[in-house]
Amino acid sequence: MARPNPTLRQRRLGAELRRMREQAGFGGSQLGRAVGMNPAQVTQMESGKIGISVERLRTIAAACMCVNQPLIDALADIITEREKPGWWEEYRGTLATDFLEVAELEGHARRLSTYTITFVPGLLQASVYASAVFSQAFPPPPRHEVDLRTAFRIQRQRVVRSGGTSYSAFIHEAALRMQFSGPKVLTEQLDALLEDSEHPGISIRAVPFDIGSLPGPSENFTYAEGPIPELDVAQMDTGHGSQLYDSPAHLASFREILTRTASVALSEDESRDFIRSIKKEMESKRG
């Protein structure tokens, strides 16, 4: 039975199967003849709209002469998962798909890294700050929508606060100084950052203005590490919504950006001092 709305991971499984087919030089019809599927089924499989068995996966891998056993095993794990639906599914139908897919991405990651230049990362936002960010979206959402998005964002933070997923956040000074609702809200957010910086498994490093140039793009992004590097995913916030990247070339680019950022960012201790200095400035503005 076709799935009307395949999940992020179901689509990723299909994308990897398409990549496997293309690397073998097969068209959809050729692969279908080799594994007993018609071309329409191959298309639906590669778009995540129909599922396949582990046996069919291994048949496809053999037909495509794929010898990357860790990849095949990781894809088999996606197929055989029997865990309950993620908590984010409770919000399906009330929040846009982009919100749910970010939570799904984070929920299955082995490790998370973020780079932000316009706001404090969502996984570290205090409730009052998150509400202020959503309130200033354009066009402005109604109050109940702001409250719903804020509650969802705070719930997302359990993935790193539980200690189960290690998290590295690189935050540009521009984001540390951006005031979405005045110095009081920013001061509370900086306080929350300082507290989070002492949390096991959470690394917060600031990127000051005086480094001279940006080590990466001007957009905010998250890099989610999968069970193997081939299944990593990068997610970028843009003016047109959330964009996902999983091609080898894109992933290599994002890894390089993180490496460059790590080479210029302040250390964790230096970052705490830096955040405290900005907080002191904000407190003086509050009088």
Side-chain angles (χ1 to χ4, degrees), residues 13-83:
L13 171 64
E16 290 301 321
L17 291 170
R18 181 184 66 251
R19 191 170 287 128
M20 192 182 294
R21 171 180 62 77
E22 291 173 346
Q23 288 176 346
F26 288 160
S29 297
Q30 289 174 291
L31 177 64
R33 286 194 297 271
V35 300
M37 299 174 72
N38 62 51
Q41 288 175 315
V42 172
T43 298
Q44 288 183 310
M45 173 190 71
E46 292 180 352
S47 63
K49 292 184 177 179
I50 62 171
I52 61 170
S53 66
V54 173
E55 291 73 19
R56 175 61 61 85
L57 164 68
R58 298 193 186 282
T59 298
I60 292 171
C64 293
M65 295 172 286
C66 176
V67 294
N68 187 339
Q69 196 58 49
L71 173 62
I72 296 169
D73 291 342
L75 296 178
D77 288 341
I78 294 177
I79 294 172
T80 57
E81 284 176 346
R82 292 294 182 266
E83 58 192 12

Side-chain angles (χ1 to χ4, degrees), residues 107-265:
H108 291 289
R110 300 293 176 89
R111 178 182 173 83
L112 291 162
S113 299
T114 56
Y115 172 80
T116 56
I117 192 170
T118 55
F119 50 74
V120 169
L123 291 174
L124 299 174
Q125 289 181 5
S127 179
V128 65
Y129 181 94
S131 181
V133 170
F134 287 129
S135 294
Q136 295 189 29
F138 186 83
R143 184 71 243 176
H144 70 86
E145 180 72 11
V146 170
D147 292 342
L148 181 65
R149 294 181 186 184
T150 300
F152 184 81
R153 177 157 290 180
I154 299 305
Q155 195 167 356
R156 275 174 48 206
Q157 297 174 358
R158 294 185 305 184
V159 73
V160 295
R161 297 190 192 284
S162 67
T165 304
S166 61
Y167 177 48
S168 296
F170 296 100
I171 311 175
H172 197 275
E173 183 176 349
L176 293 171
R177 291 185 176 277
M178 189 75 71
Q179 297 182 44
F180 287 93
S181 192
K184 181 177 184 298
V185 169
L186 181 55
T187 298
E188 291 185 32
Q189 177 58 70
L190 296 177
D191 255 334
L193 276 182
L194 290 170
E195 183 176 347
D196 282 332
S197 72
E198 303 287 355
H199 193 289
I202 296 179
S203 170
I204 297 176
R205 297 178 62 190
V207 182
F209 283 132
D210 61 13
I211 64 167
S213 64
L214 292 175
S218 58
E219 296 90 352
N220 309 299
F221 72 85
T222 296
Y223 192 92
E225 297 182 24
I228 57 174
E230 291 93 327
L231 293 183
D232 292 355
V233 182
Q235 178 268 329
M236 181 178 286
D237 294 319
T238 74
H240 302 287
S242 175
Q243 300 291 324
L244 299 172
Y245 301 89
D246 59 26
S247 72
H250 279 130
L251 293 177
S253 176
F254 280 106
R255 290 188 194 111
E256 178 62 22
I257 291 168
L258 288 172
T259 298
R260 291 183 182 183
T261 304
S263 71
V264 298

